[in-house]
Amino acid sequence: MKVFAIGDLHLDSVVDKPMDVFGPGWEDHFERITKDWLSKVTSQDLVLIPGDISWGMRENEAKPDLDLIAKLPGKKIITRGNHDYWWNSITRVRAMLGQDFYALQNDAIRIANVVVCGTRGWTVPNVPNEYKDTDDERIYKREIIRMELALQDLQKKRQLGDVAVVMIHYPPFNAKLMDSDFTAMFDKYNVDIVVYGHLHGKNCRACKFVQKNNVKYYLTSCDQVNCELVEIV
């Protein structure tokens, strides 16, 4: 089983919000993703999508976008992004998904020899422990708690020889790639791989691949990876 990742699909089957207004890198972006997906992924493979899946504001607006993903080969796992306003309770989200299509929220799932956990995350401050406002601090600390819950569930489900993967929408470090509460937890729980997204644009300060200690970090925002799935395992 191969494992791929690609984030920030920003699909708009119902909501009219074409992404090509953000530059040529977004032209026909889902058609390009689909072409690459079909060339790489078999029914036995796994694709991770770390958030910002649909521009839909409600479940009925997001469902057609989820159906497009469901038709593609392979097993899929999604987590929530900051623009996934349609994402309500995890029970309702999971009810929208078909066979071999999974959603994670502060928990984990084991597929073959890969165990995956995930949550949304939040912006890591550029200066440690200095936040833009009290809301940022509150949300950041809440997301730290949620990530630890997800990692604890990963630890319960992990078996000897498994690859441990974390999905998080926001980058788990700041623009200087400094260690954070998130990266400290990844080290604590012996995570192998982290996939994230959120960062866009040709001028964003981003590295597609970073290795910190023994953890491999992959940026998978679709415009940053030329609308091509990144093979991580």
Side-chain angles (χ1 to χ4, degrees), residues 192-209:
D192 297 301
I193 296 168
V194 176
V195 297
Y196 66 98
H198 187 66
L199 300 178
H200 297 299
K202 64 180 181 180
N203 296 321
C204 77
R205 291 184 293 173
C207 298
K208 294 179 184 178
F209 175 79

Side-chain angles (χ1 to χ4, degrees), residues 59-196:
E59 292 173 358
N60 65 312
E61 295 174 340
K63 185 65 164 62
D65 293 329
L66 295 172
D67 290 345
L68 288 175
I69 297 169
K71 292 176 183 177
L72 295 170
K75 304 173 181 67
K76 303 97 178 173
I77 303 177
I78 59 174
T79 49
R80 186 178 187 176
N82 60 304
H83 289 297
D84 289 318
Y85 300 112
W86 56 272
W87 187 301
N88 292 305
S89 75
I90 189 62
T91 301
R92 290 174 62 172
V93 172
R94 287 170 177 162
M96 299 168 65
L97 308 179
Q99 186 177 7
D100 292 331
F101 200 168
Y102 311 96
L104 292 178
Q105 184 170 289
N106 319 327
D107 57 359
I109 185 172
R110 184 175 186 270
I111 298 177
N113 66 331
V114 178
V115 58
V116 185
C117 76
T119 189
R120 183 187 62 178
W122 197 248
T123 303
V124 174
N126 285 325
V127 178
N129 300 314
E130 290 189 13
Y131 306 91
K132 292 180 180 178
D133 53 45
T134 54
D135 275 346
D136 266 332
E137 181 177 7
R138 176 181 57 80
I139 297 170
Y140 178 84
K141 290 181 176 179
R142 182 187 68 194
E143 290 297 315
I144 290 296
I145 293 169
R146 290 176 171 175
M147 179 57 76
E148 182 126 42
L149 291 172
L151 287 163
Q152 288 170 350
D153 197 37
L154 178 147
Q155 195 77 348
K156 291 177 184 176
K157 293 171 179 172
R158 190 176 192 175
Q159 298 182 16
L160 184 65
D162 283 350
V163 179
V165 182
V166 170
M167 299 171 65
I168 182 171
H169 180 65
Y170 283 85
F173 29 59
N174 60 26
K176 297 177 182 178
L177 306 180
M178 296 171 64
D179 286 327
S180 69
D181 297 290
F182 290 113
T183 62
M185 280 195 291
F186 302 154
D187 293 340
K188 173 184 173 182
Y189 286 90
N190 297 311
V191 169
D192 297 301
I193 296 168
V194 176
V195 297
Y196 66 98

Side-chain angles (χ1 to χ4, degrees), residues 3-58:
V3 182
F4 301 91
I6 188 163
D8 301 78
L9 304 186
H10 289 290
L11 301 181
D12 64 339
S13 299
V14 175
V15 177
D16 186 18
K17 198 165 184 177
M19 292 299 292
D20 54 12
V21 298
F22 296 106
W26 288 96
E27 290 180 3
D28 301 319
H29 77 287
F30 190 61
E31 288 80 0
R32 291 157 56 201
I33 291 169
T34 299
K35 181 179 179 180
D36 185 67
W37 190 313
L38 292 172
S39 73
K40 293 176 176 176
V41 182
T42 73
S43 61
Q44 302 304 310
D45 296 329
L46 176 62
V47 180
L48 311 180
I49 305 173
D52 279 5
I53 300 154
S54 170
W55 280 119
M57 297 295 290
R58 302 174 183 84

